[in-house]
Amino acid sequence: MNSEQTKSNNSALYTLITVFFFWGFIGASNGVFIPFCKIKFGLDQFQSQLIDFAFYGAYYFGALLLFILSGMAKKDILNSWGFKKGIINGLIISAVGAAFMIYAVTQGSYALILAALFVVALGFSLQQTSAQPFAASLGSPQTASNRLNLAGGVNSFGTTIGPIVVSIALFGVIAGVNLEEFAKKADSLDKMEILYMAVGALFLVAAALFFFSKKLPAGKSDATFEPADKARNILIMITVVLIAIFGYIFSRYEDPEFITRFVENKEVDYLGLWLTVGTLLIIVFGLLYANSAAQKSPQGWGAMRYPQLVLGMLALFTYVGVEVTIQSNLAELLGTPEFGDITGAAIAPYISMYWGSMMIGRWAGAISVFNPSNSLRKILLIVVPYIAFGVVLFVNYISGQDITPLYAYAAVVAVQIVGFFLGQDKPAKTLMIFGVFGMIAMLIGLFSTGTVAIYAFMSGGLFCSIMWPAIFSLGITGLGKYTSQGSAFLVMMILGGGIIPPLQGKISDIIGIHESYFIPVLCFAYIAFYGFAVKGILKKQNIDVDAIEAEGGH
């Protein structure tokens, strides 16, 4: 590769990294936007979590639609476009979503805000499906993991500053806002127009940079398209049932009697709870059925014949779900007397530290790809997390936050460092250890209150930090010609971020927000199980699981 091409590719990589930043920035800022919308529009906790449903559900629908259309065309549509064009198209869709959001805000409509978030994330779905293989194509395969981990680290930086920027955009200040009073002001949504004007403009600038960079590779893979009609059909069936159930759930909120009984008078909505649980069970049993049927007769099932993929799809579904639900319900939790009555802009540093915890873990997880000596690696595993921790504190400090409540969190970071040493750079082992650590942290949070519990729940970010690359790499291991298809199935499972938070929200409406955090306990337990079980699954296929390198970042 000549120096001119290297410079061109580096330019593409830097532009591409901004796309990773957008995903983190917008997704993490939902944690501040949700409690505001809850008061602004008079929502229950379930309804407020529909922000996540719209945002993360769009990833699933986007990836599924691309898979269905590719099957109908009998070719990989994204690959025929080229990953570069896929990113451009995704950025344009997100820009349209940003314009839609400006309209939704001017109308003051929660339903339109949800629809706008769906369009923004629909563009993200196309970007995400394109960006990771495109990053891998911008240089030698040997250094692909370096590029993907760099992009993942920038993604995490976006999640760290997103809550702070949106807090400023919404409230105009960092702290000292009475959320109850502010949200009820007629003009309380006005500054979101400015934010999304800026975000939409950045989407278009990034798209233009890609479009006018003529020297960039189109980014196409040589993989042949592998149809999977039965897999497509089962995914369509699951989707139709999910739409029907959620359609009925939403329709109930149009009934004034329902609003009076279950929202205003807070009667227990058991039907709503079981319907929401039903959506989860349909996904779980639908995928398990697909794998079982594919084991007996592989024809037409494509990648779903591989148990490491299907169980990995459920693990990724669970991981995104737990990552999102911890922070999306955190604002409601912090607003209770047992957790200090922290509301409004004052919740931003806690949301920021939660997502900053993801950055701490990803920076530490990226150390090994630079091949340091064993002794240097051990030193860096201790030093780098605290450098990242310092960055999170500094970002909050310069934005005017009171960061003194976050100092003692340094002790929790030490627990994660222990996890890295125990994991020994082995994805399955590290996944299992971090799943167990996450489960223990959530149990501590469940059975305590105040600072100890807040730290325990925030530490979920530390333990989630390595899960995307670990699950992704384990899920596609051994798939051969179905690797590209398996990757698409895994991206669909970002749907977990749209299903699990509303489920916890519905449960919190019934048993209380603090008690509802048993949901993350179950999620971490399954992830730990997958880390344990996948090793045996791959061993049966004569694959050395310890030789697998975890790549990429969500």
Side-chain angles (χ1 to χ4, degrees):
M1 186 178 293
N2 60 44
S3 60
E4 187 177 344
Q5 183 65 51
T6 300
K7 286 181 181 178
S8 175
N9 284 357
N10 284 343
S11 174
L13 180 62
Y14 301 145
T15 306
L16 181 63
I17 283 171
T18 64
V19 177
F20 279 74
F21 176 86
F22 289 145
W23 305 337
F25 179 89
I26 300 293
S29 64
N30 288 345
V32 173
F33 198 42
I34 285 170
F36 168 81
C37 286
K38 182 178 181 181
I39 295 173
K40 177 73 177 178
F41 299 106
L43 312 173
D44 62 18
Q45 190 63 10
F46 169 79
Q47 286 176 296
S48 72
Q49 297 303 305
L50 294 180
I51 286 177
D52 285 330
F53 174 77
F55 187 79
Y56 292 99
Y59 277 90
Y60 171 76
F61 282 103
L64 178 61
L65 184 61
L66 202 58
F67 176 62
I68 291 171
L69 292 175
S70 293
M72 292 171 63
K74 299 190 185 307
K75 66 177 181 178
D76 188 332
I77 291 176
L78 182 57
N79 194 44
S80 67
W81 287 348
F83 300 128
K84 173 184 168 181
K85 188 176 179 181
I87 293 168
I88 293 170
N89 291 343
L91 285 163
I92 291 171
I93 291 170
S94 292
V96 170
F100 190 3
M101 178 63 82
I102 295 167
Y103 172 74
V105 167
T106 59
Q107 297 302 303
S109 166
Y110 185 57
L112 288 177
I113 286 172
L114 293 179
L117 274 173
F118 182 88
V119 177
V120 170
L122 202 62
F124 285 0
S125 174
L126 186 53
Q127 294 165 42
Q128 177 123 342
T129 308
S130 308
Q132 299 209 38
F134 188 67
S137 73
L138 293 175
S140 70
Q142 290 76 18
T143 57
S145 61
N146 296 35
R147 294 188 291 280
L148 290 167
N149 276 285
L150 175 62
V154 173
N155 171 270
S156 294
F157 184 66
T159 65
T160 302
I161 70 169
I164 296 168
V165 173
V166 171
S167 182
I168 295 171
L170 263 179
F171 309 123
V173 294
I174 291 297
V177 172
N178 184 313
L179 184 59
E180 193 84 28
E181 293 177 4
F182 180 84
K184 291 179 180 176
K185 290 181 179 179
D187 63 350
S188 58
L189 275 168
D190 287 359
K191 287 179 179 163
M192 289 300 285
E193 294 178 48
I194 300 171
L195 175 67
Y196 271 88
M197 282 179 189
V199 168
L202 288 172
F203 288 147
L204 292 175
V205 168
L209 285 171
F210 273 95
F211 181 79
F212 290 110
S213 297
K214 300 299 184 183
K215 294 180 181 179
L216 298 188
K220 297 186 179 184
S221 75
D222 297 327
T224 56
F225 178 71
E226 295 292 339
D229 294 344
K230 292 178 182 176
R232 178 199 63 203
N233 293 342
I234 194 75
L235 288 169
I236 290 174
M237 287 173 60
I238 289 172
T239 305
V240 169
V241 176
L242 289 179
I243 291 172
I245 292 176
F246 274 107
Y248 176 67
I249 291 173
F250 298 158
S251 70
R252 299 171 79 218
Y253 282 91
E254 301 297 320
D255 182 357
E257 182 182 348
F258 176 86
I259 296 293
T260 302
R261 288 182 59 193
F262 298 110
V263 179
E264 296 173 4
N265 297 335
K266 299 190 182 301
E267 289 185 34
V268 177
D269 179 21
Y270 287 114
L271 176 59
L273 172 63
W274 288 116
L275 286 171
T276 311
V277 171
T279 62
L280 180 64
L281 295 178
I282 286 162
I283 294 165
V284 172
F285 287 108
L287 291 177
L288 291 177
Y289 164 77
N291 181 242
S292 175
Q295 295 276 341
K296 296 172 184 173
S297 178
Q299 187 65 32
W301 285 106
M304 282 195 180
R305 72 187 67 183
Y306 295 97
Q308 66 266 36
L309 173 69
V310 174
L311 294 180
M313 289 169 70
L314 292 175
L316 205 72
F317 176 94
T318 307
Y319 148 69
V320 178
V322 74
E323 172 190 283
V324 174
T325 200
I326 291 172
Q327 68 91 32
S328 291
N329 287 285
L330 190 59
E332 181 74 9
L333 185 75
L334 294 175
T336 62
E338 297 84 0
F339 286 82
D341 289 316
I342 303 166
T343 60
I347 65 175
Y350 296 95
I351 301 293
S352 175
M353 180 53 78
Y354 173 78
W355 289 109
S357 296
M358 298 283 290
M359 185 177 79
I360 292 167
R362 285 179 176 169
W363 284 19
I367 290 169
S368 61
V369 301
F370 299 103
N371 297 316
S373 66
N374 193 43
S375 57
L376 179 59
R377 175 183 167 277
K378 289 177 180 177
I379 295 170
L380 291 175
L381 275 177
I382 297 170
V383 174
V384 169
Y386 283 109
I387 292 174
F389 178 59
V391 170
V392 179
L393 290 178
F394 180 70
V395 167
N396 280 274
Y397 173 74
I398 62 173
S399 62
Q401 302 280 14
D402 176 15
I403 61 174
T404 51
L406 302 177
Y407 288 153
Y409 193 68
V412 187
V413 175
V415 177
Q416 187 199 48
I417 292 171
V418 170
F420 275 114
F421 277 98
L422 293 174
Q424 300 173 317
D425 264 351
K426 298 173 181 177
K429 188 175 183 179
T430 303
L431 188 64
M432 182 176 66
I433 290 168
F434 275 54
V436 170
F437 279 11
M439 185 171 57
I440 293 170
M442 296 304 105
L443 287 170
I444 292 171
L446 265 178
F447 293 105
S448 60
T449 56
T451 302
V452 171
I454 292 172
Y455 279 12
F457 289 135
M458 284 198 307
S459 73
L462 291 171
F463 305 125
C464 281
S465 61
I466 56 86
M467 289 182 175
W468 173 275
I471 294 169
F472 211 96
S473 60
L474 291 165
I476 61 174
T477 298
L479 267 58
K481 64 181 180 179
Y482 295 107
T483 299
S484 178
Q485 189 182 94
S487 298
F489 289 160
L490 285 167
V491 170
M492 289 180 199
M493 292 299 101
I494 293 176
L495 175 66
I499 299 291
I500 292 177
L503 173 60
Q504 185 177 347
K506 177 58 73 176
I507 291 171
S508 75
D509 285 332
I510 296 173
I511 67 173
I513 185 65
H514 189 189
E515 292 76 8
S516 73
Y517 269 81
F518 79 86
I519 290 293
V521 176
L522 299 179
C523 291
F524 278 119
Y526 175 75
I527 293 166
F529 162 76
Y530 178 69
F532 171 78
V534 73
K535 189 167 185 175
I537 291 170
L538 293 175
K539 192 174 181 180
K540 287 181 181 177
Q541 299 173 21
N542 297 316
I543 297 171
D544 180 7
V545 70
D546 292 337
I548 298 167
E549 183 179 19
E551 295 185 358
H554 166 52

